Amino acid sequence: STEDARGWRGMDLDWGKGSVKMHTADAVYKAALAQKLQEKGYRIEKTKDGFEIVGITKEMRDGQSARHKQIDVAITEAGQTKESMTTAQKHAISKSTRAEKRQVTKNELRSTWQGICQNMGLIRENIKNTENTTTYVPVTGAEAISVAIAHLSERQRVWDKDQLILEALKYGVGSVDIHDIQKAISIHPDLISKGNGKYT
């Protein structure tokens, strides 16, 4: 949010190439994580922003976020709702409820997380044995690139390699990783390199 002559208001910032690189790095991480989880016996379900582990409910995910609960309580105590608050008010509540950071060891964190998970019934064996009600169809790198091309070509004729990678990884999460996508880009018959990391 920003303040000008009209007061406080929300603004969308376009970080351009930096934003694409940030989202691409996130997609690379999520793709690798999804594959490793599947190798360890977990099932995944694709979502708009990546994936979720089958068997972990929204209530369980929300239950893990003590910080969000703390903010929600502060909003309620202020007699507000998230919808009625301005961005500046949300920021102020977030800042006022933030505790001072302290050094915590990995063992302390692991112990805390394991206790929270056990209290919620979030046990590894139960999650691994959850029946998958969705049909997960693996895709190839070439298929993921084809979908990325179709998606990107709706809005523009030339794309950065990072844009191609981002869209392909989002589509193929759980099936492909960065190496699959880079290989598919290098041999895909519908892609023409324009140089400087640009494709059409």
Side-chain angles (χ1 to χ4, degrees):
S1 64
T2 189
E3 185 177 21
D4 62 14
R6 294 179 294 172
W8 283 97
R9 61 193 175 95
M11 289 183 67
D12 288 331
L13 297 177
D14 180 5
W15 296 102
K17 289 182 183 178
S19 177
V20 172
K21 286 190 180 300
M22 178 185 71
H23 289 296
T24 301
D26 184 58
V28 169
Y29 166 76
K30 285 177 179 173
L33 179 61
Q35 286 191 320
K36 294 292 182 193
L37 284 166
Q38 289 179 111
E39 286 171 15
K40 294 198 175 290
Y42 296 94
R43 294 186 188 93
I44 66 160
E45 184 174 52
K46 216 160 76 162
T47 64
K48 179 179 169 249
D49 297 319
F51 71 92
E52 296 291 348
I53 299 172
V54 173
I56 299 181
T57 65
K58 181 180 184 317
E59 291 75 23
M60 288 175 172
R61 288 192 300 275
D62 290 348
Q64 287 281 40
S65 179
R67 180 83 181 109
H68 281 131
K69 282 183 188 173
Q70 186 182 32
I71 291 170
D72 288 345
V73 166
I75 289 171
T76 303
E77 286 175 353
Q80 298 274 355
T81 65
K82 285 182 182 176
E83 293 74 26
S84 69
M85 296 178 76
T86 65
T87 303
Q89 289 171 321
K90 289 177 192 173
H91 178 71
I93 281 191
S94 177
K95 190 174 178 183
S96 71
T97 58
R98 189 177 298 132
E100 229 179 272
K101 292 200 173 188
R102 65 179 186 87
Q103 293 292 347
V104 181
T105 67
K106 285 184 182 178
N107 287 339
E108 287 174 316
L109 275 177
R110 185 178 305 242
S111 177
T112 299
W113 291 338
Q114 285 175 339
I116 291 169
C117 289
Q118 285 178 342
N119 288 340
M120 292 183 347
L122 218 170
I123 299 166
R124 183 180 307 153
E125 289 70 27
N126 293 351
I127 302 301
K128 282 187 175 181
N129 295 324
T130 302
E131 190 169 329
N132 192 351
T133 56
T134 61
T135 306
Y136 179 75
V137 180
V139 298
T140 65
E143 290 169 328
I145 287 295
S146 293
V147 169
I149 291 168
H151 176 73
L152 291 169
S153 63
E154 290 176 1
R155 296 180 308 234
Q156 53 199 103
R157 292 182 183 176
V158 177
W159 328 285
D160 285 328
K161 186 175 184 178
D162 283 334
Q163 289 176 292
L164 272 171
I165 292 170
L166 172 60
E167 294 303 326
L169 286 175
K170 280 168 44 178
Y171 178 76
V173 68
S175 296
V176 295
D177 63 17
I178 184 64
H179 306 294
D180 301 322
I181 297 304
Q182 287 176 328
K183 181 179 178 188
I185 287 173
S186 69
I187 61 172
H188 202 284
D190 295 339
L191 281 176
I192 300 168
S193 175
K194 306 269 295 170
N196 295 330
K198 304 272 188 193
Y199 287 85
T200 188

